[in-house]
Amino acid sequence: VRSRRYTEVIDGTERTDPRGDLGRVERQQQFLTAVASKLGNTRNPLALARAGSGAAGGLRIDDAMSMLDGLRFVWGMRGLDAEPVTLPADPGNNESGSVLFLRETDASAVLDRVR
């Protein structure tokens, strides 16, 4: 899911994703949604703690958020239905290469929904 140059084999046929970073973001979202769904169906707090502990080494949530705070956050999110949102952005370039520039005035209404 993290690869920028992604190729998968489906029914013996190689399929390459030409979208680079955008494809990678979509695959990561699908992966995290699947993990969250599986964990959301778990009612065992010990199993959730083990999953959180296993992910902790590669996860940075916030400088001030403890593992227990993270577990409480995840526990509170269980059962929520994820709804995709589209932020208004324009393609462009900067010193890093191709980027998307957020149209901040247009994005306010979308961002207010998740604040």
Side-chain angles (χ1 to χ4, degrees):
V1 298
R2 296 269 312 138
S3 177
R4 284 186 175 97
R5 292 169 187 84
Y6 181 78
T7 301
E8 65 181 322
V9 178
I10 300 174
D11 297 328
T13 303
E14 285 190 4
R15 297 192 182 156
T16 302
D17 185 350
R19 299 173 299 158
D21 282 340
L22 296 177
R24 181 178 64 148
V25 167
E26 185 177 293
R27 287 188 301 278
Q28 288 175 185
Q29 290 172 343
Q30 290 169 348
F31 173 78
L32 291 174
T33 298
V35 169
S37 175
K38 186 154 182 107
L39 287 175
N41 292 330
T42 301
R43 301 289 180 232
N44 182 339
L46 295 176
L48 289 173
R50 281 194 307 274
S53 178
L59 179 65
R60 182 164 189 107
I61 299 172
D62 185 281
D63 289 339
M65 185 178 270
S66 70
M67 176 55 73
L68 186 56
D69 292 333
L71 289 172
R72 285 187 187 124
F73 176 76
V74 171
W75 187 259
M77 301 270 302
R78 73 186 191 288
L80 291 179
D81 289 327
E83 175 186 328
V85 296
T86 301
L87 288 172
D90 297 311
N93 294 294
N94 67 13
E95 63 279 355
S96 299
S98 295
V99 296
L100 293 173
F101 292 104
L102 181 66
R103 291 194 311 261
E104 294 191 27
T105 54
D106 297 335
S108 293
V110 176
L111 294 173
D112 286 343
R113 291 175 50 200
V114 296
R115 288 187 175 128

